[in-house]
Amino acid sequence: MSLRLTLGGLVTSALVMSVILTLSPLRKATGGQDVEIGHWSWHEATPSRDLVWTKCYDDKFECARLDVPMDWQNPSETDRVILGVMKLPAKTRGYSVPPLFINPGGPGGSGIKSLQTMGSEIQTVAGDYHDVISWDPRGIGVSTPRVDCWGTSQKRQMWSFQQTPAADERPGLIYDAYSRAIAYSGACESTMNETRLLNHLSTASSARDLLDLVEKTGHEKLRYWGFSYGTVLAGVFASMYPDRIDRMISDGNVDLGGWFTLDHTDFLHDADNILNVFDEACHNAGPSKCALWAASADAIRDRRANVLQSLKEHPVILPAHSTESGSELPLVITYSDVQRYVRVAIYKPLVHAEDIARVFAGVENGNGLPFFESRKAIEGDSSPLSELFCSVDDTPAMEPLETGFEVDAFPAIMCSDVGDSYKSVAQAAQYLEKLREASRWTGAASLMFRLPCAGRTVESSWRHVPDLQTKQATSHPILFLNNLYDNVTPIYGARLNSAHFDGSVVLQQNSLGHCSFAGPSTCTAKHVQQYLKKGVLPAEGSQCDQDHDLFQKPSEDEIMAQDELSSALWRLSQASRDGFPAAHWPDARYM
């Protein structure tokens, strides 16, 4: 059965609002200064108010550190932000086009890490006549100062050990989660007080940074591909500078109206639809491919539900130092652990479908090893706990640090845009119930998307909220891409945003997960190429199918036989958590 037919039977017509999500890794100390790759360090790039490029990372890329005002509305010579910027030069020369800027999302995602990891594939999809440029937005990674709420990795790890379970594991946990959010906000503002950075982290400030970056490349207009939160940056930029757009692709669209308000819970609208498709695809795949197979899709759903219910009373224990896992400590696998795992895994269902089935089947039989292995693969961190906790070196917030995701930047930037916070536990409890109504399977595990705004007192000096009641013309119409079932940015967000920008078009990709690369589609890629090269938008109402269905991964021989474009799309869909796009998630361990 094709995915398109499977999805077609599950489409609903309810209005949705969306929110962004990008994933967040376990923070690792890096030995005092930024990580060096190819014997090159960001300290070798001198900050400048122009883009002064220097060869970096085995000369494959060019890097620069751009000096911009911390406060664009009241620039000073003393309060400055240094942006880390990186370029992958075009392979085919002679085209007079602006560089393609990419933003991987977050907020908090590193454009530097994304370009290192998947820049060549992005260039193949977009057209190799592009210079591809990305940057670590203010507060993130190699851009300084960074948002760091703890100052040391030891404090961060000690905080993570106090993790609150998912709020629906048992009654009363919302009170713990709310108090934890208040404590986190206070610690962050206290630690960051001296830098004044928290006052200047809004998307408006980042949009102004982006305009400066464009101008410093010698161009007047922006060519851009933004993913997840990168679509918020796109919408704000287009609203502030509508005559400065050469091409703009908005992929995995956050509902702008929902982003700038506290009451946005429908971002989970399609999460359960993904799991409905999973159940049906598992049944159709058969027991040889799906370890959770049962006589019907409903029976598979019931098995998942029974596993979760059982875990509330009987967590599964994986012994320490077992031959298979090598875990240093016993692992107690709880309801909350599995709920959070599922929430993350459905960002890329094509990648993780088999693992989801193995995890549930294993836990059902009292075997925690599949969960341990799958979570470790997603988190991408095999460091011993002793190494993570006992590292003695840390990178100060004023120094560049290579990281896939700046954990503390997610709430700091998000809350700068919201401009308010949850002022009572009753408000937080109402938010939790709305999340649970939106998604049975991931609602409570998604509480930390907005709850970290509770207790925030530092206000942004500059907020720009797009006027979504007025249709706005841009110098070139925008292309909105969205999966039919995106677990955190439903397609209705793309349609709402598109309705605000004159001449724009929504291209629906009939696939599952977050952003178009979660399910490779050569059809979508060809539309992107036509748009970037000729400015031609797909016809209104256009749809594209993905190239592969759940439980139907191609063999290694089939992958090797693919053409360059299909191969690049496949690699993008399989990218690790430090890949591209949006490979990180907010987690209660940190907030």
Side-chain angles (χ1 to χ4, degrees):
M1 179 180 295
S2 74
L3 179 60
R4 186 168 187 175
L5 290 175
T6 303
L7 292 175
L10 294 167
V11 177
T12 64
S13 59
L15 298 181
V16 299
M17 296 164 61
S18 78
V19 93
I20 186 263
L21 151 306
T22 357
L23 313 115
S24 88
L26 196 62
R27 182 65 169 268
K28 296 175 65 175
T30 57
Q33 294 185 355
D34 48 287
V35 176
E36 294 188 12
I37 299 177
H39 307 290
W40 186 85
S41 165
W42 279 92
H43 292 280
E44 295 181 30
T46 303
S48 171
R49 298 191 184 184
D50 290 310
L51 280 175
V52 180
W53 298 107
T54 182
K55 295 285 187 179
C56 56
Y57 301 113
D58 294 326
D59 294 343
K60 180 179 180 181
F61 300 94
E62 296 176 16
C63 295
R65 299 180 72 194
L66 183 65
D67 183 329
V68 300
M70 181 175 288
D71 184 350
W72 276 105
Q73 294 182 307
N74 297 286
S76 78
E77 294 299 312
T78 56
D79 291 333
R80 311 291 294 182
V81 167
I82 308 300
L83 300 176
V85 191
M86 189 161 73
K87 175 172 63 177
L88 177 64
K91 293 180 181 178
T92 301
R93 300 290 182 173
Y95 285 80
S96 181
V97 297
L100 177 66
F101 283 85
I102 60 173
N103 180 282
S110 167
I112 299 301
K113 178 63 72 174
S114 295
L115 194 61
Q116 287 174 356
T117 307
M118 302 308 296
S120 294
E121 285 73 17
I122 293 290
Q123 192 176 61
T124 296
V125 174
D128 67 7
Y129 56 91
H130 287 104
D131 288 336
V132 182
I133 296 178
S134 196
W135 75 109
D136 280 359
R138 54 174 57 207
I140 296 167
V142 300
S143 294
T144 57
R146 295 181 292 103
V147 182
D148 185 345
C149 295
W150 300 107
T152 71
S153 58
Q154 289 89 346
K155 287 182 180 179
R156 183 180 299 280
Q157 291 301 324
M158 291 175 70
W159 175 253
S160 75
F161 294 154
Q162 304 174 45
Q163 177 178 207
T164 303
D168 66 342
E169 183 174 285
R170 57 183 182 270
L173 285 172
I174 184 61
Y175 302 106
D176 295 357
Y178 181 74
S179 296
R180 182 177 174 81
I182 296 288
Y184 174 76
S185 294
C188 195
E189 292 187 350
S190 176
T191 301
M192 293 292 299
N193 181 54
E194 291 186 7
T195 68
R196 296 184 61 246
L197 182 64
L198 292 181
N199 299 96
H200 306 289
L201 281 174
S202 70
T203 303
S205 294
S206 288
R208 184 61 184 85
D209 291 344
L210 180 53
L211 179 62
D212 195 52
L213 282 167
V214 172
E215 292 177 341
K216 293 298 168 58
T217 65
H219 295 272
E220 288 297 312
K221 294 184 179 181
L222 170 67
R223 185 169 287 212
Y224 177 85
W225 195 344
F227 302 81
S228 196
Y229 166 77
T231 69
V232 178
L233 180 57
V236 170
F237 186 98
S239 178
M240 292 172 64
Y241 312 112
D243 59 341
R244 293 296 196 96
I245 296 174
D246 173 78
R247 306 281 192 274
M248 179 172 280
I249 304 172
S250 194
D251 190 339
N253 290 269
V254 179
D255 167 24
L256 292 172
W259 177 257
F260 287 98
T261 64
L262 278 173
D263 185 22
H264 70 298
T265 53
D266 282 345
F267 71 94
L268 298 175
H269 179 272
D270 284 333
D272 288 1
N273 284 334
I274 292 176
L275 287 161
N276 290 341
V277 174
F278 167 86
D279 294 339
E280 185 173 344
C282 175
H283 171 69
N284 292 335
S288 64
K289 291 186 176 181
C290 182
L292 199 65
W293 183 87
S296 69
D298 287 347
I300 294 170
R301 179 201 61 208
D302 291 343
R303 287 181 71 181
R304 290 193 294 105
N306 291 337
V307 166
L308 290 170
Q309 184 60 38
S310 175
L311 283 170
K312 290 186 177 183
E313 297 181 2
H314 305 289
V316 170
I317 298 173
L318 181 65
H321 301 292
S322 63
T323 302
E324 297 89 350
S325 73
S327 175
E328 293 179 82
L329 297 173
L331 179 64
V332 179
I333 301 169
T334 68
Y335 167 88
S336 296
D337 291 329
V338 175
Q339 283 284 62
R340 287 170 175 154
Y341 163 79
V342 170
R343 176 174 62 83
V344 172
I346 63 173
Y347 274 77
K348 290 190 172 184
L350 184 65
V351 174
H352 299 300
E354 290 89 345
D355 286 340
I356 293 172
R358 282 191 288 267
V359 165
F360 274 93
V363 172
E364 184 179 51
N365 293 312
N367 178 11
L369 184 60
F371 173 83
F372 176 83
E373 292 176 337
S374 186
R375 187 176 72 172
K376 185 168 66 173
I378 289 177
E379 290 185 349
D381 194 339
S382 58
S383 302
L385 292 173
S386 56
E387 178 183 318
L388 292 171
F389 186 70
C390 296
S391 55
V392 295
D393 294 325
D394 287 287
T395 304
M398 296 304 296
E399 296 291 330
L401 171 69
E402 290 202 3
T403 179
F405 191 84
E406 198 72 61
V407 177
D408 296 323
F410 184 101
I413 295 170
M414 175 182 65
C415 301
S416 294
D417 282 347
V418 171
D420 200 350
S421 65
Y422 295 97
K423 299 184 183 301
S424 71
V425 71
Q427 284 183 307
Q430 290 174 358
Y431 179 61
L432 171 62
E433 288 310 306
K434 289 181 179 179
L435 290 175
R436 294 181 65 189
E437 291 172 6
S439 172
R440 172 185 179 183
W441 304 114
T442 68
S446 302
L447 181 63
M448 300 312 293
F449 276 110
R450 279 295 170 99
L451 198 59
C453 292
R456 298 268 166 170
T457 62
V458 175
E459 295 184 0
S460 176
S461 66
W462 187 17
R463 293 177 65 236
H464 178 86
V465 180
D467 177 11
L468 299 177
Q469 305 304 313
T470 304
K471 203 171 187 69
Q472 189 162 19
T474 53
S475 51
H476 196 88
I478 301 170
L479 173 59
F480 290 89
L481 302 182
N482 225 93
N483 289 345
L484 177 57
Y485 288 155
D486 187 310
N487 53 306
V488 287
T489 56
I491 194 168
Y492 195 70
R495 291 171 179 151
L496 284 172
N497 295 347
S498 177
H500 171 60
F501 291 104
D502 194 35
S504 64
V505 167
V506 176
L507 175 60
Q508 174 179 305
Q509 182 170 300
N510 294 316
S511 57
L512 309 172
H514 188 41
C515 300
S516 64
F517 292 154
S521 170
T522 51
C523 169
T524 296
K526 289 176 180 179
H527 279 299
V528 166
Q529 291 176 340
Q530 282 291 100
Y531 175 70
L532 290 174
K533 191 168 187 177
K534 299 181 179 180
V536 178
L537 286 164
E540 189 71 44
S542 294
Q543 298 183 21
C544 281
D545 290 340
Q546 68 178 24
D547 296 341
H548 311 283
D549 287 348
L550 298 189
F551 301 99
Q552 301 294 329
K553 287 184 179 180
S555 67
E556 289 298 321
D557 288 342
E558 289 171 328
I559 294 169
M560 293 295 293
Q562 291 178 333
D563 59 30
E564 185 181 21
L565 177 60
S566 298
S567 179
L569 290 168
W570 178 254
R571 290 195 298 273
L572 286 167
S573 74
Q574 303 296 301
S576 68
R577 67 183 280 107
D578 282 333
F580 190 87
H584 310 282
W585 61 94
D587 193 306
R589 288 179 296 175
Y590 301 102
M591 302 176 187

